[in-house]
Amino acid sequence: FKVSVVSTSPIDGQKPGTSGLRKKVKVYKQPHYLENFVQATFNALTPDKVKGATLVVSGDGRYYSEQAIQIIVKMAAANGVRRVWVGQNGLLSTPAVSAIIRERVGADGSRDTGAFILTASHNPGGPTEDFGIKYNMENGGQAPESVTDKIYENTKTIKEYPIAEDLPRVDISAIGITSFEGPELLLVARMGLSKTDDAAVEPPEFGAAADGDADRNMILGKRFFVTPSDSVAIIAANAVAAIPYFSSGLKGVARSMPTSAALDVVAKTLGLKFFEVPTGWNFFCNLMDAGMCSVCGEESFGTGSDYIREKDGIWAVLAWLSILAHKNKESLEGNAKLVTVEDIVRQHWATYGRHYYTRYDYENVDATAAKELMGLLVKLQSSLPEVNKIIKGIHPEVANVASADEFEYNDPVDGSVSKHQGIRYLFEDGSRLVFRLSGTGSEGATVRVYIEQYEKDASKISRDTQDALAPLVDVALKLSKLQEFTGRSSPTVIT
Ligand code: VG1
Ligand code: CO
């Protein structure tokens, strides 16, 4: 079945009395009346207890019981209740319910069993008379005041409730088991999306993709690609305002060394703790365990947060949807036009500057050749004047290299040192060239070349990435003698 979330608003007077909520049938028949009370009860019990629980729903069989049972069954299903027991024709005396709860607790493996008893007891029933509902706890007794108070408080603030509207009516006159397949937990169903797409139509405003184990993510606008390096920076810049989990602030942010410095600029501007770690997620984990990092990311489409210790593709998509929702809430209140993914990225560049970024991968090259290439780059580091002479000979407009090193990480948490984590050439204008050998390949060696150039001038932030980076790419390939070493005239993959 599918779960839909229905919007509602509080209804006055839902304070349970001595023995539940008793009202005229016509009061109960008002839209959302029963639903609000049932959801207020589920919320008071807390979702943790309700999920997987067994629920008894029955009563004295008075007028409106059958409709009420069908509604409660649908809401129970939507709230994650695993089993609902209904007496034949919805009939169970109050003591019978109490006995059933007590007898069955744990017997069927459920942690929690409780009951909605549908009765107004000695009050008259019928279309113009009374209906009633009360909740009995896992000890078989009526909910204590602490719970009924909570239920009442919840009825005063309720905004929505989930319900499995398409669940077929349960035949409560038949003895037996009726079962339904649980809700689809995939994103597609929960977001009310369609599983098929039509490439012929206009591309959607938002697109996303993941890798095989769904820890990586790609974020797309209508005709717009968000680089992962920008993505983590944009999430960090908007997290506090747009994502409730971060509303009390970010403990710190971190990126892998080859990831562009877009995140650095955000951290500096917002005064956030910042860390640059070697490639691979485990370096972030130490920081997160120590409470030093809330948001982190890699240029290789990995983005995540400290609620788990892996990167998470779905999380990144939800983070972006939260930012989109937040930005559009602001703009819709002012009647402005839709804020798109592209708008958000361009706005970010206008505020923080743009890091043009590309990665060239040379897969399955000869391992010895790859080592020699890296060796040459390490050697060149000791003679920067020579390096700059070479560069001027290729592209005079490219800035000078200010420093170069092999990245080494001193873990601030456990003091461990990780050496040889990639070769960096840092230019005077903030540009960077990074060379690494992949640690995930299964055949030969994979050389990764990361090329990055920072542009603060707002009039120059809208260029095509490959055009903007062409001189620097050329410098990277010639400086490393890439073609000479590997025999490759072009990369296997460009991202
Ligand atoms: C690559 C990526 C790196 C990522 C790693 C695991 O490693 O560059 O950023 O953390 O894959 O990702 P390498 O060493 O080949 O560059 V995954 O999706 O396989 O867990
Ligand atoms: Co993966």
Side-chain angles (χ1 to χ4, degrees), residues 354-373:
R354 175 173 179 186
H355 291 78
Y356 286 101
Y357 190 87
T358 192
R359 183 176 109 179
Y360 281 37
D361 291 337
Y362 298 81
E363 293 176 357
N364 195 11
V365 303
D366 179 76
T368 314
K371 265 195 203 131
E372 284 170 6
L373 178 150

Side-chain angles (χ1 to χ4, degrees), residues 177-220:
I177 297 173
T178 313
S179 35
F180 305 101
E181 214 165 287
E184 284 185 72
L185 294 174
L186 290 165
L187 196 65
V188 171
R190 291 185 69 172
M191 296 203 148
L193 306 172
S194 116
K195 273 186 192 159
T196 53
D197 63 20
D198 185 349
V201 300
E202 273 283 281
E205 286 295 342
F206 182 83
D211 70 337
D213 61 345
D215 59 350
R216 300 191 188 195
N217 75 92
M218 182 190 280
I219 303 295
L220 300 159

